[in-house]
């Protein structure tokens, strides 16, 4: 949901594919995906800023008609990527909501250390302060089509510019809070894209408690993202859109996927924001887990003490599970 990570916890092909891949995007022939070749434009994305000097972390900023400003993305490469010649599975990792959250969030938290030695590419894009990983019903601030940016543009761009497995068993999606909702949503709506989905303190039910999460998505997006516009429509919702995005209404879409869920059981009683967030997360995830269980869909879940913040130990456990589920480098 709309939140920031708790500041006190922040520290806290079977054979290798050896040939370069060339792909055709909307801008023409893209750069080769070989280790020695710089990434290029395509799929509606034009690179306007970049830094590829770091051995592992690649930074890009794009101009795109999907978003009214230039969103950024960090692409974290595995150790040895430049010399291995291998292809790798990819994790798309989404930040939570709030004005202090962006594509750098997980780098600040320690994602480089968490992934050291793991054969996995991690893609961390902007998702807006309250974008809710959605194309809104209405915006007064220009284009804010985050779903289009992530799924129709960024995903194929990554596959064209890096040595990935461009297939179901080659991708996972995960996130915290609002990003955890985005992960659940994308995994269901785009079933053939992701073999593993993880939600760390992300809401899983849009309609429970008179639609509290949907109302919050509308209010938060109106306040800090859309200049009074909303994700789902107000005063009346776009009911079909809510149903399409609602994890508890898309249970069959999680079959044959690895599902990993985390929720806190004891939010800070003094911090009303923490209490409202994680109380709703916990209730929604329990509802979701109940439906998964009734459908016979395996899932791993963790209810742990504390409220609405990132838990590095469970992120590391999740990363190990992601690597085990996806196609090997």
């Amino acid at each position: 949901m709309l939140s920031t990570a708790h500041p006190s916890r922040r520290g806290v092909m079977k054979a290798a594919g050896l040939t370069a891949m060339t792909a055709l995007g909307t801008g023409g022939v893209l750069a080769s995906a070989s280790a020695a070749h710089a990434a290029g434009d395509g799929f509606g994305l034009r690179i306007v800023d970049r830094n590829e000097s770091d051995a592992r972390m690649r930074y890009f900023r794009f101009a795109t008609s999907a978003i009214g400003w230039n969103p950024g993305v960090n692409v974290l490469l595995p150790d040895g990527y430049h010399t291995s010649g291998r292809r790798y599975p990819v994790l798309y990792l989404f930040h939570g909501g709030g004005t202090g959250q962006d594509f750098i969030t997980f780098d600040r938290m320690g994602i480089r250390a968490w992934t050291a030695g793991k054969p996995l590419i991690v893609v961390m894009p902007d998702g807006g302060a309250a974008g809710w990983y959605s194309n809104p019903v209405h915006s007064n601030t220009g284009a804010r089509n985050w779903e289009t940016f992530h799924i129709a543009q960024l995903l194929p761009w990554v596959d064209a510019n890096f040595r990935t497995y461009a297939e179901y068993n080659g991708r996972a999606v995960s996130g915290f809070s609002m990003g955890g909702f985005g992960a659940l949503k994308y995994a269901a709506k785009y079933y053939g894209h992701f073999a593993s989905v993880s939600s760390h303190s992300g809401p899983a039910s849009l309609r429970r408690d008179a639609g509290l999460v949907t109302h919050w998505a509308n209010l938060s997006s109106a306040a800090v993202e859309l200049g009074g516009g909303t994700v789902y429509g107000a005063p009346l919702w776009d009911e079909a859109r809510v149903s399409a995005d609602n994890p508890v209404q898309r249970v069959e879409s999680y079959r044959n996927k690895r599902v990993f869920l985390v929720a806190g059981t004891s939010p800070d009683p003094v911090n009303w924001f923490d209490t409202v967030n994680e109380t709703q997360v916990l209730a929604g995830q329990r509802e979701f887990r109940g439906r998964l269980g009734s459908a016979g869909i395996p899932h791993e879940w963790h209810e742990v003490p504390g409220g609405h913040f990132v838990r590095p130990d469970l992120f590391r456990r999740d990363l190990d599970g992601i690597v085990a589920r996806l196609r090997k480098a």
Side-chain angles (χ1 to χ4, degrees):
M1 302 172 82
L2 186 67
S3 66
T4 58
H6 196 294
S8 65
R9 279 91 168 181
R10 281 188 179 166
V12 179
M13 319 178 157
K14 294 291 181 186
L18 301 178
T19 58
M21 178 174 65
T22 302
L24 184 64
T26 57
V29 178
L30 287 174
S32 164
S34 68
H37 207 301
D41 300 339
F43 302 94
L45 301 178
R46 179 171 60 85
I47 300 170
V48 295
D49 194 21
R50 67 201 301 162
N51 188 329
E52 298 171 88
S53 62
D54 189 270
R56 293 188 63 201
M57 189 70 81
R58 297 292 193 253
Y59 152 73
F60 304 93
R61 192 170 288 280
F62 302 106
T64 167
S65 62
I67 307 296
W69 52 278
N70 297 336
V73 61
N74 272 342
V75 179
L76 182 60
L77 302 173
D79 298 301
Y81 175 88
H82 305 291
T83 57
S84 72
R86 297 176 179 173
R87 294 189 179 278
Y88 294 88
V90 183
L91 165 63
Y92 288 82
L93 183 55
F94 298 147
H95 64 77
T99 55
Q101 302 299 295
D102 58 17
F103 73 100
I104 307 176
T105 291
F106 285 102
D107 197 23
R108 297 186 188 106
M109 291 182 185
I111 190 65
R112 301 189 201 206
W114 301 351
T115 57
K118 298 187 188 303
L120 184 70
I121 296 172
V122 184
V123 179
M124 296 163 282
D126 270 326
W132 287 88
Y133 297 88
S134 298
N135 294 348
V137 168
H138 181 66
S139 171
N140 294 317
T141 54
R144 294 292 186 274
N145 295 316
W146 292 106
E147 189 168 342
T148 295
F149 170 58
H150 295 137
I151 300 298
Q153 297 182 328
L154 183 62
L155 190 149
W157 181 87
V158 168
D159 285 336
N161 285 281
F162 296 92
R163 298 196 311 275
T164 70
Y165 292 119
E167 63 183 50
Y168 176 75
N169 287 318
R171 302 191 197 99
V173 61
S174 178
F176 167 67
S177 190
M178 181 184 79
F181 165 75
L184 289 173
K185 167 187 168 172
Y186 286 172
K189 289 185 77 173
Y190 303 97
Y191 177 86
H193 285 31
F194 306 103
S196 175
V197 56
S198 315
S199 180
H200 296 258
S201 287
S205 180
L206 293 179
R207 295 186 184 277
R208 69 172 296 108
D209 297 330
L212 183 59
V213 173
T214 306
H215 286 303
W216 180 240
N218 277 342
L219 288 170
S220 60
S221 63
V224 301
E225 184 83 14
L226 303 173
T230 61
V231 170
Y232 289 112
L236 300 177
W237 301 344
D238 182 327
E239 297 289 354
R241 188 173 299 201
V242 173
S243 296
D245 288 2
N246 193 4
V248 300
Q249 293 181 257
R250 302 295 303 270
V251 167
E252 281 300 317
S253 296
Y254 300 95
R255 194 174 295 280
N256 301 319
K257 295 182 186 292
R258 172 185 175 270
V259 180
F260 184 94
L261 304 168
V262 176
T265 59
S266 52
D268 184 345
V270 178
N271 184 339
W272 70 269
F273 195 71
D274 186 83
T275 298
V276 171
N277 264 332
E278 203 63 16
T279 298
Q280 187 61 210
V281 163
L282 180 61
Q285 286 201 9
R286 285 176 172 174
E287 178 186 356
F288 182 51
R289 283 162 27 203
R291 297 198 184 194
L292 290 172
S294 295
I297 298 175
H299 55 285
E300 179 179 351
W301 58 272
H302 300 268
E303 290 187 2
V304 288
H308 199 68
F309 54 83
V310 170
R311 294 165 170 85
D313 59 328
L314 287 174
F315 255 94
R316 290 191 181 96
R317 179 170 180 151
D318 186 20
L319 287 165
D320 288 339
I322 288 168
V323 171
R325 171 60 182 87
L326 298 186
R327 191 169 182 177
K328 302 301 183 287

